Amino acid sequence: MKDIKSLAFEELKMEMECLGEKAFRAEQIFRWMHQKMVRSFEEMTNLSQGLRERLSQEYALTSLEMVRVQESALDGTRKYLFELEDGRLVESVWMKYRHGNSLCISSQVGCRMGCAFCASTIDGLERSLTASEMLEQVYAVTLLTGERISNVVVMGIGEPLDNYGNLLKFIALLTDEKGLHISQRNITVSTCGLVREMRMLADEKLQITLALSLHAASDEKRRKLMPVARRYSIAELIEACAYYFERTGRRITFEYALVKGENDAQEDARQLASLVKGLNCHVNLIPVNPVSERNFVQPDTENITAFKNKLEKNGINVTIRREMGRDIDGACGQLRRRQKAYTRR
Ligand code: SAH
């Protein structure tokens, strides 16, 4: 069956034409799916019973099943574990900020990038998510919380640029004025640094924020943490970032997970500063999240502050990521891992 929720509006219009339906039906159905976020064709009450039946015979209306939610007593952050229709699991994290609610979504089930500190990649990639499965994380959490989501960050499980086509469809649907109409400026896509796709994305000239997971300031150190660094050098990455800014005018975010004794020395900060100095950018320092299967430790607070100060002295825009949901934590991908282990038992 066709995945109707992943269709762009124009595609849906063509589908309705093929069914011999009037063009305005496409807009009605689109709004039911992407604005009212209904979970069945039956609820599309301004369509004839005949059309509703026909739709349910020909199309699948993707929906996710929430299997668990954990809520932080400290800041209200909620981690949702969702089951896809084939039984696979993904996580989404909902965070409340003064400027609005933000949802961090997954783009794949598992990941094949192999970063040393990351829990999501331990069992490799199972499959990529469809556009509708990415959207459904936003819709399901909107319905569950009853609150509007204003920011979406594609920073959960998976490498979004390794699922490029579906990611672009997802962004188009999420920002459609006949849907939730989330502004492109409120969407962030985080990548481990797939240079070819970063450049393709730049050429799309979207107004989304691109975040690059840098995590090291030399190729040698980066290769120890991230296998993708064997494919692309830091010089190539920085060039791709400059190109992204040139094409879109959007400031790049560099993510840098601080790992005690690995990349947190003053010399690392100095190298990082000189790398990103010429770019219109912002550096986000993330004290590494301990993962039970991995042996990485956060630097001491003084070290983190010293690292930040060093960057600032060099004129770099920098923030330390505020930790949300500390009490329900476990790094990204850990909830899914725990559930899988539980199910296996
Ligand atoms: N694949 C994409 C997006 C998902 S990971 C990417 O690599 O950017 C989201 C962010 O969390 C990345 O910056 C990733 O490097 C970081 N991350 C993964 N595991 C982490 C951990 N244990 N501690 C801190 N950051 C981590």
Side-chain angles (χ1 to χ4, degrees), residues 116-133:
F117 43 80
C118 181
S120 302
T121 198
I122 295 173
D123 290 333
L125 176 69
E126 291 183 28
R127 69 171 173 87
S128 282
L129 296 187
T130 60
S132 62
E133 287 168 332

Side-chain angles (χ1 to χ4, degrees), residues 111 113 115 117-119 154-160 190-192 211 213 215 226 255 257 286-291 321 331-332:
C111 183
M113 296 298 135
C115 298
F117 43 80
C118 181
V154 191
M155 238 186 233
I157 298 169
E159 167 51 46
S190 178
T191 179
C192 64
S213 301
H215 303 327
M226 306 175 72
E255 289 161 283
I286 315 158
V288 75
N289 233 316
V291 174
R321 171 156 331 150
C332 340

